[in-house]
Amino acid sequence: MGIDMTTFVEVREAGGWRSLHLDEAIQKDFRAASFRQEIWAEDDNEVAKRLQTFGYKERNYRLFAAISGAANNSLNIPKVATVRGLPKDMGIIATEYLEHSSGIYPTWLTLAELFTYDWNAYDIQAPDFLVFLDVLKAMGEPEDVRVIFTFFQ
């Protein structure tokens, strides 16, 4: 048994934050197609449905440590930022999935914050995550794009 991560990418618009759909991400950068994740959520009728969302979902404990301190037993990797919990203004898809989840170490980071971290300094070894961050550049201004992270055991 290990720790896994689920992410939701959101963009800030005039009305607040909105979860970014996979198809929309692919239209902005074709490489987004490789960051497909499947999640289960409840619809209005309380019927489970599978959603295909745009996000990063790969097990990498060094990366987890940098993002939220998850799996940071003896790695001594500094976090990108203090763990914040779930944002109060999440988009509908993230809210539907995460509001009642049993996730641990929930946090969120803007693209601007993710770009300021030195991913090479602590031997994170997450080349796919760096491509994921590069794809996020096409989604909006760094301050207007955020990634919500949560971890599951």
Side-chain angles (χ1 to χ4, degrees), residues 90-110:
M90 287 186 292
I92 293 170
I93 294 173
T95 298
E96 190 173 295
Y97 182 76
L98 295 173
E99 203 168 53
H100 304 291
S101 77
S102 59
I104 57 175
Y105 303 105
T107 194
W108 58 271
L109 298 165
T110 65

mmCIF file of all heavy atoms in Angstrom, residues 90-110:
data_model
loop_
_atom_site.group_PDB
_atom_site.id
_atom_site.type_symbol
_atom_site.label_atom_id
_atom_site.label_comp_id
_atom_site.label_asym_id
_atom_site.label_seq_id
_atom_site.Cartn_x
_atom_site.Cartn_y
_atom_site.Cartn_z
ATOM 1 N N MET A 90 -13.367 26.422 -4.763
ATOM 2 C CA MET A 90 -13.062 25.447 -5.821
ATOM 3 C C MET A 90 -14.143 25.438 -6.890
ATOM 4 O O MET A 90 -15.304 25.736 -6.614
ATOM 5 C CB MET A 90 -12.993 24.025 -5.244
ATOM 6 C CG MET A 90 -11.781 23.737 -4.421
ATOM 7 S SD MET A 90 -11.698 21.986 -3.932
ATOM 8 C CE MET A 90 -13.062 21.842 -2.800
ATOM 9 N N GLY A 91 -13.759 25.040 -8.099
ATOM 10 C CA GLY A 91 -14.715 24.836 -9.178
ATOM 11 C C GLY A 91 -15.619 23.649 -8.880
ATOM 12 O O GLY A 91 -15.379 22.866 -7.964
ATOM 13 N N ILE A 92 -16.655 23.498 -9.671
ATOM 14 C CA ILE A 92 -17.680 22.482 -9.422
ATOM 15 C C ILE A 92 -17.113 21.070 -9.441
ATOM 16 O O ILE A 92 -17.413 20.253 -8.568
ATOM 17 C CB ILE A 92 -18.826 22.620 -10.448
ATOM 18 C CG1 ILE A 92 -19.556 23.929 -10.210
ATOM 19 C CG2 ILE A 92 -19.784 21.441 -10.361
ATOM 20 C CD1 ILE A 92 -20.545 24.288 -11.297
ATOM 21 N N ILE A 93 -16.303 20.730 -10.435
ATOM 22 C CA ILE A 93 -15.796 19.361 -10.549
ATOM 23 C C ILE A 93 -14.917 19.006 -9.353
ATOM 24 O O ILE A 93 -15.080 17.955 -8.735
ATOM 25 C CB ILE A 93 -15.039 19.149 -11.873
ATOM 26 C CG1 ILE A 93 -16.011 19.270 -13.048
ATOM 27 C CG2 ILE A 93 -14.344 17.796 -11.903
ATOM 28 C CD1 ILE A 93 -15.351 19.250 -14.403
ATOM 29 N N ALA A 94 -13.986 19.886 -9.004
ATOM 30 C CA ALA A 94 -13.113 19.621 -7.854
ATOM 31 C C ALA A 94 -13.930 19.534 -6.568
ATOM 32 O O ALA A 94 -13.706 18.656 -5.737
ATOM 33 C CB ALA A 94 -12.038 20.701 -7.747
ATOM 34 N N THR A 95 -14.891 20.426 -6.410
ATOM 35 C CA THR A 95 -15.730 20.414 -5.212
ATOM 36 C C THR A 95 -16.493 19.104 -5.103
ATOM 37 O O THR A 95 -16.525 18.471 -4.044
ATOM 38 C CB THR A 95 -16.727 21.596 -5.228
ATOM 39 O OG1 THR A 95 -15.983 22.817 -5.230
ATOM 40 C CG2 THR A 95 -17.640 21.558 -4.020
ATOM 41 N N GLU A 96 -17.093 18.691 -6.205
ATOM 42 C CA GLU A 96 -17.891 17.464 -6.216
ATOM 43 C C GLU A 96 -17.060 16.257 -5.813
ATOM 44 O O GLU A 96 -17.519 15.385 -5.080
ATOM 45 C CB GLU A 96 -18.482 17.264 -7.617
ATOM 46 C CG GLU A 96 -19.516 16.181 -7.703
ATOM 47 C CD GLU A 96 -20.170 16.163 -9.070
ATOM 48 O OE1 GLU A 96 -20.858 17.138 -9.417
ATOM 49 O OE2 GLU A 96 -19.971 15.167 -9.776
ATOM 50 N N TYR A 97 -15.837 16.218 -6.258
ATOM 51 C CA TYR A 97 -14.994 15.068 -5.979
ATOM 52 C C TYR A 97 -14.324 15.143 -4.606
ATOM 53 O O TYR A 97 -14.240 14.147 -3.891
ATOM 54 C CB TYR A 97 -13.933 14.932 -7.066
ATOM 55 C CG TYR A 97 -13.054 13.722 -6.877
ATOM 56 C CD1 TYR A 97 -13.518 12.450 -7.190
ATOM 57 C CD2 TYR A 97 -11.765 13.839 -6.382
ATOM 58 C CE1 TYR A 97 -12.727 11.328 -7.009
ATOM 59 C CE2 TYR A 97 -10.961 12.732 -6.202
ATOM 60 C CZ TYR A 97 -11.443 11.485 -6.511
ATOM 61 O OH TYR A 97 -10.654 10.378 -6.328
ATOM 62 N N LEU A 98 -13.830 16.321 -4.234
ATOM 63 C CA LEU A 98 -12.977 16.434 -3.052
ATOM 64 C C LEU A 98 -13.692 16.795 -1.757
ATOM 65 O O LEU A 98 -13.164 16.529 -0.680
ATOM 66 C CB LEU A 98 -11.888 17.476 -3.315
ATOM 67 C CG LEU A 98 -10.896 17.126 -4.408
ATOM 68 C CD1 LEU A 98 -9.987 18.313 -4.687
ATOM 69 C CD2 LEU A 98 -10.085 15.897 -4.028
ATOM 70 N N GLU A 99 -14.860 17.392 -1.856
ATOM 71 C CA GLU A 99 -15.532 17.894 -0.663
ATOM 72 C C GLU A 99 -15.734 16.818 0.407
ATOM 73 O O GLU A 99 -15.637 17.083 1.589
ATOM 74 C CB GLU A 99 -16.871 18.510 -1.056
ATOM 75 C CG GLU A 99 -17.384 19.502 -0.061
ATOM 76 C CD GLU A 99 -18.550 20.274 -0.647
ATOM 77 O OE1 GLU A 99 -19.508 19.653 -1.129
ATOM 78 O OE2 GLU A 99 -18.489 21.509 -0.605
ATOM 79 N N HIS A 100 -16.024 15.611 0.001
ATOM 80 C CA HIS A 100 -16.277 14.542 0.968
ATOM 81 C C HIS A 100 -15.267 13.403 0.829
ATOM 82 O O HIS A 100 -15.546 12.285 1.239
ATOM 83 C CB HIS A 100 -17.703 14.005 0.791
ATOM 84 C CG HIS A 100 -18.735 15.067 0.912
ATOM 85 N ND1 HIS A 100 -19.025 15.695 2.097
ATOM 86 C CD2 HIS A 100 -19.517 15.666 -0.014
ATOM 87 C CE1 HIS A 100 -19.962 16.606 1.901
ATOM 88 N NE2 HIS A 100 -20.276 16.610 0.622
ATOM 89 N N SER A 101 -14.114 13.701 0.272
ATOM 90 C CA SER A 101 -13.117 12.653 0.066
ATOM 91 C C SER A 101 -12.322 12.427 1.352
ATOM 92 O O SER A 101 -12.343 13.238 2.273
ATOM 93 C CB SER A 101 -12.167 13.024 -1.072
ATOM 94 O OG SER A 101 -11.231 13.980 -0.630
ATOM 95 N N SER A 102 -11.617 11.339 1.372
ATOM 96 C CA SER A 102 -10.788 11.011 2.529
ATOM 97 C C SER A 102 -9.321 11.329 2.244
ATOM 98 O O SER A 102 -8.423 10.710 2.798
ATOM 99 C CB SER A 102 -10.955 9.525 2.869
ATOM 100 O OG SER A 102 -10.580 8.736 1.754
ATOM 101 N N GLY A 103 -9.099 12.308 1.392
ATOM 102 C CA GLY A 103 -7.739 12.683 1.033
ATOM 103 C C GLY A 103 -6.975 13.261 2.208
ATOM 104 O O GLY A 103 -7.541 13.819 3.139
ATOM 105 N N ILE A 104 -5.651 13.110 2.144
ATOM 106 C CA ILE A 104 -4.774 13.656 3.171
ATOM 107 C C ILE A 104 -3.872 14.716 2.548
ATOM 108 O O ILE A 104 -3.654 14.724 1.344
ATOM 109 C CB ILE A 104 -3.927 12.552 3.843
ATOM 110 C CG1 ILE A 104 -3.104 11.787 2.797
ATOM 111 C CG2 ILE A 104 -4.825 11.587 4.617
ATOM 112 C CD1 ILE A 104 -2.145 10.763 3.380
ATOM 113 N N TYR A 105 -3.364 15.623 3.365
ATOM 114 C CA TYR A 105 -2.470 16.692 2.931
ATOM 115 C C TYR A 105 -3.024 17.507 1.763
ATOM 116 O O TYR A 105 -2.290 17.832 0.819
ATOM 117 C CB TYR A 105 -1.091 16.157 2.529
ATOM 118 C CG TYR A 105 -0.378 15.381 3.594
ATOM 119 C CD1 TYR A 105 -0.280 13.993 3.533
ATOM 120 C CD2 TYR A 105 0.217 16.029 4.674
ATOM 121 C CE1 TYR A 105 0.377 13.275 4.505
ATOM 122 C CE2 TYR A 105 0.879 15.316 5.655
ATOM 123 C CZ TYR A 105 0.957 13.941 5.568
ATOM 124 O OH TYR A 105 1.617 13.228 6.536
ATOM 125 N N PRO A 106 -4.301 17.871 1.755
ATOM 126 C CA PRO A 106 -4.803 18.658 0.622
ATOM 127 C C PRO A 106 -4.164 20.039 0.600
ATOM 128 O O PRO A 106 -3.958 20.659 1.641
ATOM 129 C CB PRO A 106 -6.303 18.735 0.883
ATOM 130 C CG PRO A 106 -6.426 18.620 2.374
ATOM 131 C CD PRO A 106 -5.312 17.703 2.797
ATOM 132 N N THR A 107 -3.855 20.491 -0.589
ATOM 133 C CA THR A 107 -3.278 21.826 -0.738
ATOM 134 C C THR A 107 -3.481 22.295 -2.165
ATOM 135 O O THR A 107 -3.954 21.547 -3.013
ATOM 136 C CB THR A 107 -1.778 21.833 -0.354
ATOM 137 O OG1 THR A 107 -1.335 23.186 -0.186
ATOM 138 C CG2 THR A 107 -0.919 21.120 -1.390
ATOM 139 N N TRP A 108 -3.140 23.529 -2.433
ATOM 140 C CA TRP A 108 -3.215 24.060 -3.793
ATOM 141 C C TRP A 108 -2.050 25.003 -3.997
ATOM 142 O O TRP A 108 -1.549 25.617 -3.053
ATOM 143 C CB TRP A 108 -4.554 24.751 -4.051
ATOM 144 C CG TRP A 108 -4.851 25.882 -3.111
ATOM 145 C CD1 TRP A 108 -5.493 25.794 -1.897
ATOM 146 C CD2 TRP A 108 -4.492 27.262 -3.269
ATOM 147 N NE1 TRP A 108 -5.553 27.022 -1.302
ATOM 148 C CE2 TRP A 108 -4.959 27.950 -2.131
ATOM 149 C CE3 TRP A 108 -3.842 27.974 -4.263
ATOM 150 C CZ2 TRP A 108 -4.781 29.322 -1.954
ATOM 151 C CZ3 TRP A 108 -3.668 29.343 -4.099
ATOM 152 C CH2 TRP A 108 -4.148 29.988 -2.950
ATOM 153 N N LEU A 109 -1.612 25.091 -5.236
ATOM 154 C CA LEU A 109 -0.497 25.953 -5.608
ATOM 155 C C LEU A 109 -0.807 26.609 -6.942
ATOM 156 O O LEU A 109 -1.363 25.963 -7.837
ATOM 157 C CB LEU A 109 0.795 25.144 -5.732
ATOM 158 C CG LEU A 109 1.280 24.449 -4.461
ATOM 159 C CD1 LEU A 109 2.325 23.396 -4.793
ATOM 160 C CD2 LEU A 109 1.828 25.462 -3.475
ATOM 161 N N THR A 110 -0.440 27.873 -7.082
ATOM 162 C CA THR A 110 -0.597 28.523 -8.376
ATOM 163 C C THR A 110 0.562 28.103 -9.273
ATOM 164 O O THR A 110 1.614 27.649 -8.800
ATOM 165 C CB THR A 110 -0.604 30.061 -8.263
ATOM 166 O OG1 THR A 110 0.690 30.486 -7.804
ATOM 167 C CG2 THR A 110 -1.707 30.552 -7.343
#
